Amino acid sequence: MNAYVVTVATLVAIQSIVACGLNVVVGYAGQISLGHAAFFGIGAYASALLTTKAGLTFWTALPLVIAITGLVGLLLGIPSLRVRDDFLAITTIGINFIVEAVFLYVPFFGGALGIGGIPRVTFFHVKMKGLPYLYLCLAFLALVLLVCRWFTRSWAGLACFALREDETAAASMGISPVRFKLLAFVLGTAMAGLGGALYAHFMRFISAGDFSFPVSVMLLSMVVLGGMGTLWGPTLGAVILVSLPELFRPLLEIRFLIYTLLLLLMIRFQPGGLLGEASLVRRVFSRLMPGKEAPR
Amino acid sequence: MLLEVNRLEISYGDVRAVHGADFAVAEGELVSIIGANGAGKTSILNGIMGLVPVRNGTVRFRGREITAMPAHRRAHEGIRLVPERARVFPRLSVYENLLTGAYGLRKKIPLEERLRWLYGLFPILEERRDQPAQTLSGGEQQQLAIARALISDPKLLLVDEVSMGLMPKLVDQVFDLLQSLNRDHGLTILLVEQNARASLEISHRAYVLETGSVVMEGPADDLLDDPKIQRAYLGLVEEEVERRQ
């Protein structure tokens, strides 16, 4: 594999991790979020600061990074207890702008210059770059997918699904809306934190613009495109949305036009996402391999 | 008394849905609240379940005041609601819907045994076990909603307009089932119904609700024989009312 392909693949793996986290919030618990990039950024900045300023290694910083992001996710998840749907979407957009502004204007976070000189991840004294780093990201992605799979089969996952379907009915079944919305926010933002840390040590230079509102839109597009609430959907969405702009690179300006058109077509014809219920992919799969369940 | 409701007031903005309703349900009773559309029947059940804020008055369950308790805690206390129009979780399978009813109780109830009992009561649910609940017919969804509430072995079952949208044959079946749950299994039920005759026929006692207040109460048999009730809620014409006196 040449370096370019490895770079794109690494970004796909990182974005998949972050999109999986968003899927926990949006797909499993039904809480719309258009500010997920904020948590991606919090993870990246936390890891960057802990390794450059506090002198920790990636591995010792990682548990802290995940804890910090999850904790901030818990605090910023509180609005979701009071507002719903469009209002929650707007609130989460606001969170994204505030977090980005903090990174941009507070000198501690490097201001407009961002943070540079972020060390590479070392693994048994070997500096990881290129292919080994891709494998590391894929290993973390596998871990995230396992956690998602476990979550969807747990009682907590069932409680989140019930909340997504009908909050009132769920509450009268003894499911606490507060507890499970916040649980989904913590789990989802912690995954974003992990993705952020991997991103920081891959790029080795980060600035506030990397985690701006359009990134949140892109992440939500990945989840919607792949199929909200499915296991593999966010990863598939990340593969498509990260690699398509690369494939269309020769088309220069109009590549985003094509990209937008694809999204619109998806919304019109496959609202459940590529791996959603009764989607084209699932129907083709069941025709090709009768009796076998398509991946979800 | 298992459930005591005093001077209950519920409003939505300036609209008063319930004002000053008093009623009680004893353990082992099947009590119904009958009334026309908009009389405040659903609001009363939602107030007992904790799904709408109570403006004034108190709700006591097993001697404890629960007026300010959130809905999910009331569910843990043993109150369960079969909501109007079932409100099953549409994209979850029938089995998952049933499990949500047992949430937080897996150590307290023999889950497998409860499931077997429910599948015995509602064979269609076992047949459709892995289907999304939204693919069920209205009657099947209503059965699922009842089963989902029953799996927790509730102390008080609130049933909201269970006859709505069901075909007459199914209405009879559902009412027979509620009666047998009450008589044979000792389940306490508070039933809210527009179908006054069907609910009075299986109830021990009943309250008549008009524009948010209780206007009449008594043993269900007495209400069935009351000319006013016959005219207003049982749809009898004048000659029939006289003939029955």
Side-chain angles (χ1 to χ4, degrees):
Chain A
M1 266 194 278
N2 67 35
Y4 170 68
V5 174
V6 171
T7 301
V8 173
T10 307
L11 283 174
V12 167
I14 291 170
Q15 305 262 31
S16 297
I17 291 170
V18 183
C20 281
L22 182 57
N23 189 39
V24 172
V25 178
V26 180
Y28 296 165
Q31 305 303 303
I32 186 78
S33 170
L34 270 167
H36 204 58
F39 302 101
F40 183 31
I42 290 167
Y45 270 84
S47 195
L49 288 171
L50 286 171
T51 50
T52 57
K53 292 196 176 164
L56 298 182
T57 68
F58 170 81
W59 297 103
T60 45
L62 192 61
L64 282 174
V65 169
I66 292 173
I68 291 168
T69 323
L71 192 68
V72 179
L74 177 71
L75 291 177
L76 298 186
I78 290 170
S80 75
L81 305 176
R82 309 226 56 165
V83 291
R84 290 182 200 195
D85 306 330
D86 333 19
F87 293 100
L88 183 58
I90 293 167
T91 309
T92 52
I93 293 174
I95 288 172
N96 200 156
F97 278 112
I98 291 167
V99 169
E100 191 191 344
V102 168
F103 290 153
L104 191 58
Y105 295 114
V106 176
F108 179 72
F109 295 105
L113 292 174
I115 300 176
I118 303 166
R120 283 197 195 282
V121 176
T122 55
F123 194 64
F124 293 110
H125 306 292
V126 180
K127 280 194 175 169
M128 300 189 87
K129 57 178 183 176
L131 209 52
Y133 197 70
L134 170 61
Y135 291 147
L136 180 73
C137 291
L138 287 175
F140 274 115
L141 174 59
L143 184 70
V144 163
L145 287 169
L146 276 174
V147 170
C148 286
R149 198 177 116 103
W150 162 80
F151 187 70
T152 55
R153 290 162 186 220
S154 70
W155 281 87
L158 183 66
C160 284
F161 291 156
L163 267 185
R164 171 192 75 195
E165 300 287 298
D166 187 332
E167 191 174 325
T168 312
S172 42
M173 292 297 117
I175 294 164
S176 160
V178 174
R179 188 199 294 190
F180 289 101
K181 279 186 192 177
L182 290 182
L183 176 69
F185 265 95
V186 169
L187 189 60
T189 53
M191 288 177 184
L194 169 65
L198 291 170
Y199 180 80
H201 295 269
F202 176 63
M203 303 304 281
R204 305 181 61 208
F205 167 78
I206 54 169
S207 65
D210 296 350
F211 314 104
S212 58
F213 173 58
V215 178
S216 291
V217 176
M218 173 78 101
L219 289 167
L220 189 62
S221 307
M222 288 171 185
V223 176
V224 172
L225 178 74
M228 275 194 277
T230 62
L231 180 64
W232 291 99
T235 305
L236 180 65
V239 170
I240 294 171
L241 290 187
V242 176
S243 53
L244 270 195
E246 300 297 330
L247 288 176
F248 292 151
R249 208 171 266 281
L251 301 173
L252 293 171
E253 268 76 28
I254 65 159
R255 69 189 164 121
F256 278 101
L257 200 69
I258 295 174
Y259 173 84
T260 312
L261 201 68
L262 269 176
L263 272 189
L264 286 175
L265 286 174
M266 277 299 298
I267 291 164
R268 174 65 186 81
F269 295 107
Q270 298 276 281
L274 287 172
L275 297 180
E277 217 56 63
S279 69
L280 196 65
V281 175
R282 296 188 77 80
R283 269 178 299 176
V284 170
F285 192 93
S286 59
R287 178 144 325 156
L288 291 178
M289 296 188 201
K292 273 188 94 175
E293 180 86 0
R296 50 170 71 228
Chain B
M1 280 291 166
L2 185 69
L3 176 80
E4 281 171 89
V5 176
N6 290 310
R7 321 275 346 128
L8 184 73
E9 277 182 41
I10 294 170
S11 327
Y12 304 103
D14 290 337
V15 185
R16 285 208 295 177
V18 179
H19 38 104
D22 282 295
F23 56 94
V25 180
E27 214 166 322
E29 264 191 318
L30 200 170
V31 175
S32 52
I33 299 178
I34 59 171
N37 257 336
K41 304 189 298 294
T42 295
S43 296
I44 283 184
L45 286 196
N46 287 344
I48 298 170
M49 191 71 235
L51 300 175
V52 293
V54 168
R55 163 83 47 107
N56 243 319
T58 57
V59 180
R60 298 177 74 82
F61 184 64
R62 303 170 83 198
R64 249 178 88 197
E65 186 170 340
I66 58 164
T67 319
M69 191 185 270
H72 68 273
R73 299 245 331 265
R74 298 188 201 205
H76 286 300
E77 292 290 314
I79 306 179
R80 286 297 159 111
L81 171 69
V82 179
E84 196 176 335
R85 299 188 185 282
R87 293 184 77 158
V88 294
F89 303 115
R91 287 181 292 174
L92 301 189
S93 71
V94 168
Y95 177 68
E96 288 170 325
N97 264 277
L98 290 173
L99 282 189
T100 59
Y103 172 77
L105 298 167
R106 87 195 103 147
K107 291 196 185 95
K108 291 184 203 148
I109 55 167
L111 193 55
E112 283 306 313
E113 199 180 297
R114 298 292 297 173
L115 277 168
R116 246 178 290 129
W117 177 64
L118 288 171
Y119 287 149
L121 284 178
F122 308 100
I124 194 75
L125 298 183
E126 186 165 25
E127 220 170 280
R128 307 218 187 283
R129 188 179 183 276
D130 298 316
Q131 255 172 259
Q134 62 190 353
T135 62
L136 266 52
S137 74
E140 290 163 356
Q141 292 193 11
Q142 200 60 259
Q143 296 179 40
L144 176 55
I146 297 172
R148 183 178 66 173
L150 286 178
I151 196 169
S152 66
D153 197 8
K155 296 186 177 70
L156 171 65
L157 186 69
L158 309 172
V159 183
D160 195 357
E161 300 278 12
V162 74
S163 70
M164 195 192 271
L166 293 189
M167 52 184 189
K169 194 180 136 220
L170 256 166
V171 172
D172 292 343
Q173 272 180 24
V174 168
F175 278 89
D176 285 348
L177 172 75
L178 290 175
Q179 183 166 33
S180 113
L181 285 170
N182 173 255
R183 305 289 195 273
D184 308 334
H185 299 272
L187 179 65
T188 312
I189 301 176
L190 177 60
L191 192 65
V192 145
E193 261 298 330
Q194 256 189 78
N195 189 336
R197 179 187 302 281
S199 58
L200 287 177
E201 275 168 358
I202 62 165
S203 299
H204 297 115
R205 291 190 303 118
Y207 295 87
V208 182
L209 199 68
E210 266 173 28
T211 55
S213 312
V214 174
V215 292
M216 243 175 134
E217 59 176 281
D221 292 338
D222 294 1
L223 292 177
L224 273 170
D225 292 336
D226 188 291
K228 269 202 309 235
I229 299 291
Q230 290 179 344
R231 263 183 227 111
Y233 296 101
L234 303 179
L236 296 188
V237 291
E238 210 52 41
E239 300 88 76
E240 285 175 293
V241 173
E242 275 161 28
R243 187 149 26 88
R244 291 190 179 208
Q245 291 310 304

